[in-house]
Amino acid sequence: MIILNQLDPIGAGDDRIVYRHPTIQDRCIKVPRVDFQNDFRPVGFNETLYWLSRLGQTKYFDFNYVDVEYASTLKKRNSAVTFSHIPFCHGYVETDLGTGVVWDYISNHDGSPCRSLKDYSDNPGLLDEKEKRLLWRGLEEFFSWQREQIILLREIAYTNTLVREQRDGNYKIYHIDAIGCADFIPVAKYSKLVAKLRIKSKVGRFRKRMIAWLGAPPLASR
């Protein structure tokens, strides 16, 4: 069993808390805030309807389960490119805070923590014209990877999108949370055509947000 209760979290969301792995420094562990098997009860019409559609299986509300299930399908592709913009999943592990999931910990090339898009949006002074060009180049590669590899992301948000500083000075975008499909009717899980359409729509919406924030991408990054 891995002991986490004496460690400070390195991240936290509404559903999970993230800790640095105590013995493997390039990995982290995500632990759910709720024991979904024993303590979770759906609240409200939408949650109840979703719960009924999943035959009362509360595991579908556990994003650790959803993420691991999707990561397992991605591993079957047996391609390193598949995980080039998301952390690799190393599976479940028992901790003193409950069952967690081990993932690669994404850091800059020198080992320092990556900034998120939220860090940049909250601190406009971090982005001069050079940084904007680098960021746009990284974003366009990230968008192309999603479309070409057909990678389903539940939500592309500023908080879970990291900007990794590469050794060569370029930026690489990593999405560190919310992978897979949790739609009420998850057709995209089983239809490649539907998945492509969903990805095209989500990428398009997020790209518009980036244009509203950063301005139009430089010609070199298009």
Side-chain angles (χ1 to χ4, degrees):
M1 177 179 290
I2 296 176
I3 306 301
L4 299 176
N5 65 7
Q6 296 181 349
L7 301 179
D8 293 326
I10 59 172
D14 293 337
D15 55 304
R16 289 174 287 188
I17 302 176
V18 187
Y19 296 88
R20 196 78 176 262
H21 196 295
T23 58
I24 308 176
Q25 287 300 293
D26 61 353
R27 296 181 186 179
C28 62
I29 303 174
K30 296 182 180 181
V31 182
R33 292 181 179 273
V34 176
D35 181 346
F36 285 89
Q37 184 174 351
N38 298 311
D39 298 334
F40 179 80
R41 296 293 181 274
V43 176
F45 177 78
N46 289 338
E47 280 194 0
T48 301
L49 192 61
Y50 188 81
W51 176 70
L52 291 171
S53 74
R54 298 306 189 267
L55 303 179
Q57 298 182 75
T58 55
K59 65 183 180 181
Y60 289 101
F61 289 88
D62 181 356
F63 287 142
N64 264 358
Y65 171 79
V66 176
D67 287 352
V68 171
E69 182 186 43
Y70 188 60
S72 297
T73 67
L74 296 181
K75 288 177 185 178
K76 294 176 182 177
R77 299 183 186 181
N78 198 29
S79 170
V81 179
T82 302
F83 287 92
S84 59
H85 290 275
I86 54 176
F88 190 84
C89 178
H90 298 277
Y92 291 103
V93 66
E94 293 302 321
T95 81
D96 59 327
L97 301 178
T99 301
V101 176
V102 180
W103 300 84
D104 282 346
Y105 174 72
I106 305 302
S107 60
N108 293 320
H109 73 90
D110 61 0
S112 61
C114 297
R115 291 189 176 103
S116 68
L117 288 183
K118 186 176 188 303
D119 293 326
Y120 283 101
S121 66
D122 288 348
N123 299 277
L126 294 173
L127 286 174
D128 59 21
E129 290 305 310
K130 176 186 176 182
E131 272 70 39
K132 285 184 180 180
R133 288 196 299 272
L134 291 173
L135 184 53
W136 260 120
R137 186 183 304 165
L139 284 165
E140 297 290 33
E141 291 176 356
F142 174 61
F143 296 148
S144 295
W145 162 80
Q146 287 181 67
R147 292 188 296 258
E148 293 168 6
Q149 296 298 312
I150 315 178
I151 303 294
L152 293 167
L153 304 177
R154 296 195 301 278
E155 178 188 17
I156 312 174
Y158 283 14
T159 52
N160 58 25
T161 307
L162 297 186
V163 181
R164 185 181 192 272
E165 297 177 9
Q166 303 283 81
R167 192 173 299 277
D168 61 5
N170 287 314
Y171 291 167
K172 185 173 184 178
I173 306 301
Y174 276 87
H175 193 273
I176 59 168
D177 201 7
I179 64 174
C181 177
D183 294 345
F184 179 72
I185 303 176
V187 180
K189 288 177 63 175
Y190 309 104
S191 168
K192 185 176 290 188
L193 174 60
V194 174
K196 287 181 177 180
L197 292 173
R198 290 281 284 147
I199 292 164
K200 181 180 179 180
S201 175
K202 285 194 174 187
V203 166
R205 290 197 303 271
F206 194 75
R207 194 171 186 275
K208 287 179 180 177
R209 288 182 64 191
M210 295 298 97
I211 291 173
W213 171 32
L214 298 172
L219 290 175
S221 71
R222 292 181 182 175

